[in-house]
Amino acid sequence: MGLSGVGKTRLALEAAARLHDAGLPVLWHAAPGAVADSLPADDDPLAAPTADCAAFLHGEGPTDAVPAELTGLLGDRAALLVLDGADTARLDFQRLGRLLRELPGLRLLVTADRPWDVPGERLFLLAPWRHRPRSAVPAPTPPPPGSSSTGSAASAPTSSPTTGP
């Protein structure tokens, strides 16, 4: 959770890539207007069931059943569903409960501007990176003339404008 542009999608992409590399199926659904590098490939066999699952969680379609293609595809297998850029106000908690009962191995990662406020939700608030402009980074101090440049502690600066003594 965090403001737009803070890096939620990049963090989710990294987590999903690591889980995928470990053999876990990853279903990725991006909100409309998402950047192209986080969209599933056109030939991704999980794209249609993932879209159906996201629609189900957003309250679209029949309320009595999880999309059959998804339950057939995953069953009891462990998998990760990423809802990137989700509008948590539109997500249906009752449908989430049904989804998790029918797919007990499914885990959900939601990137959003605000929490969903559901039981079991774990929040990771991301804040913007604090970075110093290049002009604030001190330049290396050259060794005094006639001294050796062996990298000894005597030639290292003992303080910097940002860290103090």
Side-chain angles (χ1 to χ4, degrees):
M1 172 178 101
L3 299 172
S4 293
V6 80
K8 299 180 299 287
T9 297
R10 295 284 175 214
L11 185 59
L13 281 167
E14 181 64 27
R18 289 182 184 204
L19 292 170
H20 182 266
D21 289 347
L24 194 74
V26 174
L27 296 86
W28 187 282
H29 183 267
V35 293
D37 64 348
S38 67
L39 298 176
D42 292 336
D43 60 348
D44 182 356
L46 298 176
T50 301
D52 291 344
C53 184
F56 176 77
L57 287 173
H58 283 102
E60 300 169 18
T63 61
D64 57 343
V66 172
E69 187 178 1
L70 192 62
T71 56
L73 184 67
L74 296 178
D76 290 341
R77 291 179 53 199
L80 175 69
L81 170 62
V82 179
L83 298 177
D84 183 36
D87 179 358
T88 54
R90 290 188 53 225
L91 295 174
D92 185 327
F93 175 67
Q94 299 303 322
R95 288 179 178 227
L96 172 65
R98 188 173 301 117
L99 183 71
L100 294 177
R101 280 190 299 278
E102 292 192 34
L103 301 170
L106 187 66
R107 297 298 174 259
L108 190 63
L109 190 158
V110 178
T111 68
D113 293 341
R114 59 181 174 259
W116 192 358
D117 294 328
V118 297
E121 178 178 32
R122 287 192 236 166
L123 299 178
F124 296 94
L125 179 61
L126 298 182
W129 284 92
R130 294 185 62 197
H131 72 287
R132 299 180 296 175
R134 284 198 175 274
S135 61
V137 178
T141 307
S147 70
S148 68
S149 59
T150 61
S152 68
S155 65
T158 57
S159 68
S160 74
T162 57
T163 60

